[in-house]
Amino acid sequence: MVTSSPTSMRIVPKSSMMESIRSCGISGLRINKEDLKKMLTMPHYLRRAMRDAIKSKDPDATAVAVAGDGNEVAPECPMIVFVNSRSGGRHGPELKERLQELMSEEQVTFIQDPNLTDYGLLFSLCVFDLSEVRPHEFVQYGLVCLEKLASRGDSCAQETRKKIRIMVAGGDGTVGWVLGCLAVLHKQQREPVPPVGVIPLGTGNDLARSFGWGGKFPFAWKSAMKKTLYRAGLGSVGHLDSWQVVVSMPSGKIVDPPHSLKSTEDCNLDPDLPIEGELPEKVSCYEGVFYNYFSIGMDAQVAYGFHHLRNEKPYLAQGPIANKLIYSSYSCTQGWFLTPCMSDPSLRGLKNILRLHVKKLKGAKWEQVPIPKSVRAIVALNLHNYGSGRNPWGKLKPDYLEKRGFVEAHADDGLLEIFGLKQGWHASFVMVELISAKHIAQASAIRLEIRGGEWKNVFMQMDGEPWKQPMDKDFSTFVDIKKEPHHSLMINGD
């Protein structure tokens, strides 16, 4: 396989005015529809082979049966697009039709919400009528079929596999879902891994903002799609750190994890940090990956309630603005803006249930970090953007960085920025960037140890996917976070 060599990029928060201009595609560049189609569309026999491989779940059969006539030429920028039909304002169906006009039906993949239909991908192609498949099945069958054709000397398939790129129309959770599926290519040594660009359909769209794709679905989206696909085909490629999460909890507790957390038999907590105290006889373990942030506490509790409300009453979620209004209203009902009440354990600071250890630099020793008693939410952040484009870590001055032992934060520096939020009023001032959050640490690895006591549950979330984590009063639950060995590859939309 031919390996890619993406250029490292530094991410700078974008102004909302520039985001709007960029999202609407106002640059004076005129793009011919037929030229764009020629630039992006794979030859029909390759599209058919990949489609049939996914449908039959047998890449060998279709790779043998399908072949070109030897005259086909790979497009300059072969593109696959995934569309989440339920992200943001439910623009998915209309967007899919527009993308199919500009490309081809086989190259536009319709993703249904991961919380529905057994976390499946729905390939809803008007002509081919494909059935449901899981995200990894695109990599396992469609991409394998392309690789098998390439291995048999098909020069068009070879060039297509080398150049293929992916666009994801959805929110941060959808983008992370696809990135997670592509990560297996590193482990299987099936490079190059296709880079990923974003059409922002979600509520926060922080990954899209960070890589220059804007923070919202453009108003003039039909005309903007040509510009977006053009940028996706020719944009430079940057690095994004990926972070592995391992959750170890006493067996017998019932948890409903998000789709990004999978049950595993291997509970690989870092042996360099010994566990103190008695351990349960049996444990249940889950592992997953995040790209933007992991959080624990009140912010995750509000997100959990909002997601359940949106799933129960989907008619309320008619777009990002409606989502944000509902989210803000819901946060007021959860005690987020109230003075912590000692009679309600769920309103106390995380210091009562949480112990935090970090490795400040790669290869450094573990050390315990004190948690301020007023902090009710802790966030480990990978990007500059959080909560719809805010930068709660702040733009820190060199003197302060040196005093605290911090370094300037980047999305590919191998470090997470850990900060705390006190209550709703403090979080509100942080989110409008009047003040910075409570800086706790920068870390290359993190361990959270949670013990219940009066608390029966604590809320966590990864990249906007919240869940309720049960706790035990006798045994601890552990969360280990460490960097994945390979970067994820993102297309720069600037």
Side-chain angles (χ1 to χ4, degrees):
M1 288 291 181
V2 180
T3 58
S4 59
S5 56
T7 57
S8 179
M9 62 172 288
R10 296 305 187 191
I11 298 171
V12 179
K14 312 295 190 303
S15 70
S16 58
M17 178 64 72
M18 288 304 297
E19 280 182 355
S20 300
I21 294 174
R22 187 177 294 110
S23 297
C24 291
I26 302 174
S27 67
L29 179 65
R30 296 181 65 86
I31 301 170
N32 181 274
K33 177 179 174 180
E34 292 305 315
D35 289 343
L36 181 65
K37 200 165 188 174
K38 183 178 179 180
M39 170 182 161
L40 302 176
T41 304
M42 290 183 278
H44 180 265
Y45 83 99
L46 291 181
R47 304 197 310 263
R48 185 170 58 120
M50 295 175 69
R51 176 208 62 188
D52 291 345
I54 294 166
K55 185 176 180 179
S56 66
K57 294 182 172 54
D58 185 0
D60 286 298
T62 187
V64 171
V66 177
D69 59 15
N71 297 319
E72 292 85 353
V73 177
E76 183 181 359
C77 306
M79 187 78 62
I80 296 291
V81 181
F82 294 90
V83 181
N84 188 334
S85 63
R86 290 174 59 86
S87 287
R90 309 298 201 270
H91 291 291
E94 292 177 308
L95 177 61
K96 186 196 74 169
E97 291 181 9
R98 175 59 173 160
L99 291 169
Q100 287 176 341
E101 288 178 14
L102 298 174
M103 297 170 57
S104 71
E105 292 182 350
E106 296 97 327
Q107 287 174 243
V108 180
T109 303
F110 204 39
I111 307 178
Q112 208 168 53
D113 188 89
N115 293 317
L116 299 178
T117 62
D118 197 24
Y119 309 142
L121 278 172
L122 181 61
F123 276 60
S124 178
L125 303 179
C126 301
V127 176
F128 300 103
D129 191 21
L130 299 180
S131 60
E132 260 181 79
V133 297
R134 291 173 181 266
H136 68 270
E137 290 177 330
F138 167 76
V139 174
Q140 185 176 349
Y141 301 114
L143 218 50
V144 167
C145 171
L146 186 61
E147 291 165 355
K148 287 183 177 294
L149 288 170
S151 70
R152 296 187 175 106
D154 186 326
S155 59
C156 181
Q158 290 171 357
E159 197 69 11
T160 298
R161 176 62 184 90
K162 176 182 175 182
K163 294 179 176 179
I164 197 167
R165 292 185 168 204
I166 292 176
M167 284 294 285
V168 180
D172 291 340
T174 308
V175 179
W177 190 15
V178 175
L179 288 173
C181 296
L182 295 173
V184 72
L185 297 176
H186 286 297
K187 300 175 183 178
Q188 297 175 353
Q189 297 182 335
R190 292 167 57 194
E191 287 89 357
V193 177
V196 174
V198 188
I199 300 172
L201 285 188
T203 302
N205 299 312
D206 290 309
L207 272 168
R209 295 172 194 271
S210 295
F211 286 90
W213 294 104
K216 59 183 179 180
F217 194 58
F219 177 76
W221 64 270
K222 288 190 176 182
S223 59
M225 282 306 103
K226 286 197 298 183
K227 172 80 182 306
T228 296
L229 291 175
Y230 183 82
R231 287 155 54 197
L234 300 181
S236 61
V237 177
H239 287 145
L240 172 66
D241 285 338
S242 309
W243 295 89
Q244 182 193 54
V245 176
V246 176
V247 179
S248 172
M249 54 184 286
S251 290
K253 296 292 184 181
I254 299 175
V255 62
D256 182 19
H259 82 276
S260 55
L261 273 182
K262 306 297 183 185
S263 178
T264 178
E265 297 294 329
D266 299 323
C267 204
N268 298 317
L269 297 179
D270 192 326
D272 292 340
L273 180 57
I275 295 175
E276 300 177 3
E278 187 179 357
L279 296 175
E281 293 184 8
K282 295 182 179 181
V283 296
S284 299
C285 289
Y286 297 84
E287 65 179 3
V289 177
F290 71 90
Y291 303 90
N292 188 358
Y293 68 92
F294 174 95
S295 71
I296 177 172
M298 184 59 77
D299 71 319
Q301 180 175 341
V302 172
Y304 180 84
F306 166 74
H307 277 253
H308 275 259
L309 177 65
R310 186 173 63 175
N311 289 337
E312 291 172 1
K313 300 178 180 180
Y315 57 85
L316 293 176
Q318 295 300 318
I321 295 177
N323 285 345
K324 289 173 184 176
L325 289 173
I326 297 170
Y327 197 99
S328 300
S329 299
Y330 193 86
S331 67
C332 294
T333 68
Q334 298 297 301
W336 193 212
F337 285 88
L338 303 176
T339 301
C341 175
M342 297 307 294
S343 63
D344 186 348
S346 67
L347 294 180
R348 299 177 188 172
L350 289 174
K351 182 180 178 69
N352 295 284
I353 63 163
L354 181 63
R355 185 183 297 172
L356 172 65
H357 288 84
V358 303
K359 285 184 178 180
K360 292 188 175 179
L361 295 172
K362 185 177 180 181
K365 294 183 179 180
W366 286 101
E367 56 183 277
Q368 186 172 351
V369 176
I371 299 172
K373 63 180 181 179
S374 58
V375 165
R376 298 168 65 194
I378 290 178
V379 181
L381 184 64
N382 187 38
L383 302 177
H384 282 294
N385 289 292
Y386 168 83
S388 301
R390 276 63 176 185
N391 183 13
W393 185 254
K395 299 177 183 178
L396 307 184
K397 295 181 179 180
D399 291 346
Y400 180 81
L401 291 172
E402 184 177 0
K403 178 181 177 181
R404 293 294 305 268
F406 296 158
V407 296
E408 187 178 352
H410 298 291
D412 60 352
D413 60 6
L415 294 173
L416 291 168
E417 284 67 56
I418 307 172
F419 61 86
L421 300 172
K422 298 177 182 179
Q423 24 48 32
W425 298 112
H426 175 251
S428 297
F429 288 131
V430 169
M431 296 305 279
V432 296
E433 300 184 13
L434 292 176
I435 59 174
S436 295
K438 186 75 174 178
H439 298 137
I440 296 176
Q442 278 183 318
S444 62
I446 301 172
R447 174 171 291 177
L448 305 173
E449 181 181 357
I450 308 114
R451 181 75 66 89
E454 295 180 80
W455 296 45
K456 295 182 179 180
N457 302 288
V458 67
F459 293 85
M460 303 180 185
Q461 63 173 332
M462 290 168 36
D463 288 349
E465 291 188 88
W467 75 96
K468 183 191 295 186
Q469 180 65 46
M471 294 191 295
D472 192 286
K473 65 179 182 180
D474 298 318
F475 301 107
S476 296
T477 293
F478 295 93
V479 179
D480 268 17
I481 301 174
K482 65 178 181 180
K483 184 181 174 299
E484 289 278 281
H486 300 284
H487 287 103
S488 293
L489 303 181
M490 299 293 295
I491 304 170
N492 179 16
D494 288 333

